[in-house]
Amino acid sequence: MTRSDLAAAVDDVLDVDAEAFQERVWADADTIKEELEAGTFDNPQAIVGLEYEFYAVNDEGALARLPRRLLEFVGFEKELGLHNAEMSTSPQPLNEYGLEAQEREVQARVKAAYEPMDAEGLHLVSDGMWTIPPEGETAESYLTGSVEDGGVQLATNMSASTRYHAMANTDQPAGMRLDAPHVSLSADTVMPESLITSIQPHYQVPQAVDLPTYFRYALRFAGPVLALGVNSPFYPPDLYDDDATPEEILADGHDEHRVGVFESVLNVPGEQEKVRFPEDIGNMKEAVDRIAEDNTIVPMPVEEGGRFDDEFAHFRMKHGTYWRWVRPVLGGSSRESANARIEFRPLPCQPTVRDTVAFQAMFAGLLQSMVRREHPLYDLDWADARDNFYAAVEDGLDAEFAYVTADGEETTDLKAIYEDLFDYATLGLADVGLTEEEAAKYLWPLRQRARHGVTPAGWKRERVREQLDEGATFENAVYAMQCEYMENQHETLLEGSFADWLGRGGGLDDRTTTR
């Protein structure tokens, strides 16, 4: 699609009647409620799935634009930036074979991409925020580059997604900026969001009516689970304020800046805050209404086909910009595959596939067991769950969490919290047929993180500190860390884990990675 074609497509989107679109959304909401009452979204068992985003980089580790033809050839989908690629696994039953199938599918598709990408001098990397900009460019120029085409503002390095380009040309508010300790950047488009990537495990609930209960538990363990996965403590060095010292950046930076990027790019504080930690859901009618009444930034034209969820196509389109860190999803290409699921969105991409599947297994195991056994964590106050989430964003495993154990005891002790979480994740996996040994294998990479207080974010901080102590500039220290990350991942992405890295200068010992 040429820029003139894209600009025309954006104009077509901006011409959509917002009121008529919203009327169709409410009509679709009524259709969904009828299908809920009919049991259409129920399943005989829990089912899991995964969305997984990657960056493309060149041989030197610099961010690289991924040719669209190559993206399609290797079986990945386009994402926001030209440097992004995404894959989605085929949904599988939650059991020992389903989890293995999830891992094998990711491994197979990533490995299949190796040869054609190598021929282009490109590589897929899995990380929460890549810090080396394209060769010959700064991160600022790459993220803020845009052109005006017939009165339409288009991001230079964004995929040809009319919805995202339209967001820069609508009257609806979006921040289009980065706002973090010692980082401030303004853009004309939402392109800065492409700075981040994520993994998003899905859990399809057996009975749709029970989704609010599963959802409540997901909110309450979101903070401690995210703390195990923090992986974006640094922005690209040229985005930091000129007067910020390395010591200030290390002291004030968050362990998971990805959350702040998404919120600052798309929110306008006090005016519109679509990206946020969600409230509890009372029932499924409330869940549907909450999505339907959410503010629509860009009402898109909708093409209806032969899918089952085309019966509520406007609602489904609106759901695409219902940005919450945990969100309910109702969909399915056919009536037989219709499902109600929970999408867990806080997690950044991880160092290896095994680490990624470990989070998928932990998320599913916790939902499976906590609901079945009525874990007392259900009673944790929602405000505490929200505070836990943002504490994890800022401090990772150094955060203090409020928690209720299986015995009903309130605690802030990290050891007690993670013992309880891993015990219940193991129980949930055992409930669906995994042996104790199989469950332990999936959860082991994350147990190692909890036991030794080492996360990918902490590993990155230590690498940067070591480089600074040896006299490197902050920019060179961050780039050296990122190159070491890439080298380690090259050896371990498909079959290793982050724990394998910790003998390479990281040190798997009893120290913690505090500020």
Side-chain angles (χ1 to χ4, degrees):
M1 181 180 284
T2 65
R3 283 214 173 92
S4 58
D5 290 336
L6 180 57
V10 171
D11 279 332
D12 289 342
V13 168
L14 297 176
D15 286 339
V16 172
D17 186 308
E19 288 188 11
F21 179 88
Q22 185 60 31
E23 288 177 3
R24 293 294 301 274
V25 169
W26 281 115
D28 287 354
D30 290 338
T31 298
I32 292 173
K33 292 172 190 175
E34 292 172 1
E35 296 290 356
L36 284 166
E37 291 181 4
T40 305
F41 295 100
D42 296 342
N43 293 282
Q45 60 187 327
I47 297 173
V48 292
L50 178 71
E51 296 177 47
Y52 196 158
E53 300 168 353
F54 293 83
Y55 297 99
V57 302
N58 66 14
D59 291 334
E60 286 71 44
L63 204 65
R65 297 166 179 85
L66 192 57
R68 303 293 91 177
R69 58 171 178 77
L70 178 61
L71 189 65
E72 295 171 1
F73 181 73
V74 299
F76 285 74
E77 301 171 4
K78 66 182 180 182
E79 243 295 330
L80 181 61
L82 294 179
H83 57 275
N84 295 134
E86 180 183 43
M87 67 166 292
S88 297
T89 60
S90 306
Q92 297 288 340
L94 176 57
N95 55 40
E96 65 271 35
Y97 304 110
L99 282 173
E100 182 178 6
Q102 292 283 295
E103 183 172 8
R104 293 304 187 196
E105 182 176 359
V106 175
Q107 290 170 323
R109 292 173 66 179
V110 172
K111 185 174 182 180
Y114 279 0
E115 186 173 338
M117 290 192 68
D118 280 346
E120 302 277 348
L122 299 174
H123 312 279
L124 289 177
V125 294
S126 173
D127 197 0
M129 187 186 301
W130 200 253
T131 56
I132 305 178
E135 286 187 354
E137 302 177 66
T138 63
E140 179 177 2
S141 65
Y142 181 77
L143 295 171
T144 62
S146 65
V147 296
E148 185 175 320
D149 187 346
V152 173
Q153 199 73 30
L154 301 176
T156 310
N157 298 302
M158 189 188 294
S159 297
S161 168
T162 52
R163 181 179 72 180
Y164 282 106
H165 284 283
M167 288 175 63
N169 297 277
T170 179
D171 293 334
Q172 291 293 328
M176 295 189 289
R177 63 194 178 94
L178 298 177
D179 185 9
H182 309 294
V183 173
S184 54
L185 176 75
S186 295
D188 294 324
T189 72
V190 298
M191 178 63 186
E193 186 202 332
S194 72
L195 191 57
I196 55 175
T197 62
S198 67
I199 57 171
Q200 297 173 19
H202 293 221
Y203 179 95
Q204 294 184 21
V205 303
Q207 302 293 319
V209 69
D210 295 327
L211 186 144
T213 301
Y214 289 92
F215 191 82
R216 184 180 177 104
Y217 277 113
L219 297 187
R220 279 150 183 79
F221 62 64
V225 170
L226 172 59
L228 291 171
V230 289
N231 194 21
S232 51
F234 296 108
Y235 282 82
D238 72 87
L239 296 182
Y240 287 100
D241 299 333
D242 292 339
D243 59 354
T245 66
E247 292 75 18
E248 290 172 331
I249 292 170
L250 284 164
D252 300 334
H254 298 167
D255 273 13
E256 194 44 61
H257 279 299
R258 176 182 158 267
V259 168
V261 168
F262 200 32
E263 292 190 352
S264 63
V265 170
L266 294 171
N267 289 345
V268 179
E271 188 174 353
Q272 176 161 272
E273 298 182 6
K274 284 175 65 70
V275 184
R276 62 181 187 267
F277 190 79
E279 297 178 357
D280 292 323
I281 298 170
N283 53 60
M284 286 307 294
K285 178 181 181 298
E286 181 182 335
V288 174
D289 288 345
R290 194 177 290 178
I291 296 168
E293 67 193 11
D294 193 53
N295 188 42
T296 303
I297 294 182
V298 181
M300 295 282 292
V302 175
E303 295 183 5
E304 299 180 12
R307 292 171 55 105
F308 163 71
D309 49 18
D310 283 335
E311 295 180 17
F312 43 92
H314 287 76
F315 182 95
R316 185 159 59 100
M317 179 65 72
K318 183 164 188 175
H319 184 273
T321 57
Y322 181 71
W323 294 307
R324 304 295 188 270
W325 290 114
V326 185
R327 69 180 182 182
V329 185
L330 293 158
S333 60
S334 66
R335 188 172 294 274
E336 292 72 25
S337 65
N339 63 85
R341 62 187 186 270
I342 294 173
E343 187 178 88
F344 195 68
R345 299 168 59 83
L347 293 168
C349 283
Q350 295 298 303
T352 75
V353 171
R354 188 175 177 193
D355 294 299
T356 295
V357 176
F359 275 111
Q360 185 182 30
M362 185 174 191
F363 172 65
L366 286 172
L367 288 181
Q368 187 76 21
S369 64
M370 286 189 163
V371 172
R372 181 175 182 177
R373 293 172 175 81
E374 299 183 347
H375 192 291
L377 186 61
Y378 183 92
D379 296 321
L380 182 72
D381 190 78
W382 175 85
D384 288 332
R386 177 200 57 202
D387 292 346
N388 284 349
F389 178 77
Y390 287 105
V393 167
E394 292 192 15
D395 298 322
L397 288 177
D398 290 331
E400 182 174 293
F401 301 121
Y403 192 83
V404 182
T405 68
D407 296 328
E409 297 293 326
E410 296 182 1
T411 185
T412 60
D413 180 70
L414 278 185
K415 182 178 180 181
I417 291 170
Y418 285 110
E419 282 182 354
D420 192 77
L421 287 170
F422 282 116
D423 284 349
Y424 267 73
T426 300
L427 286 171
L429 296 175
D431 287 343
V432 296
L434 274 74
T435 65
E436 184 175 341
E437 182 179 357
E438 288 169 336
K441 180 196 74 170
Y442 282 110
L443 299 175
W444 181 82
L446 304 185
R447 282 188 183 273
Q448 291 295 94
R449 299 186 189 190
R451 181 177 296 127
H452 299 284
V454 182
T455 62
W459 181 91
K460 289 179 176 180
R461 288 180 181 276
E462 290 299 317
R463 303 286 77 67
V464 169
R465 284 194 184 95
E466 288 176 358
Q467 291 290 325
L468 292 171
D469 289 344
E470 293 175 6
T473 64
F474 179 71
E475 179 179 76
N476 287 341
V478 171
Y479 287 2
M481 171 276 293
Q482 198 73 87
C483 289
E484 185 177 350
Y485 184 102
M486 185 171 127
E487 291 169 3
N488 286 354
Q489 187 170 97
H490 180 71
E491 298 176 22
T492 59
L493 177 60
L494 291 182
E495 296 185 356
S497 78
F498 172 66
D500 297 330
W501 298 18
L502 301 177
R504 303 173 185 175
L508 185 58
D509 52 33
D510 291 329
R511 69 183 175 184
T512 58
T513 52
T514 59
R515 285 166 173 71

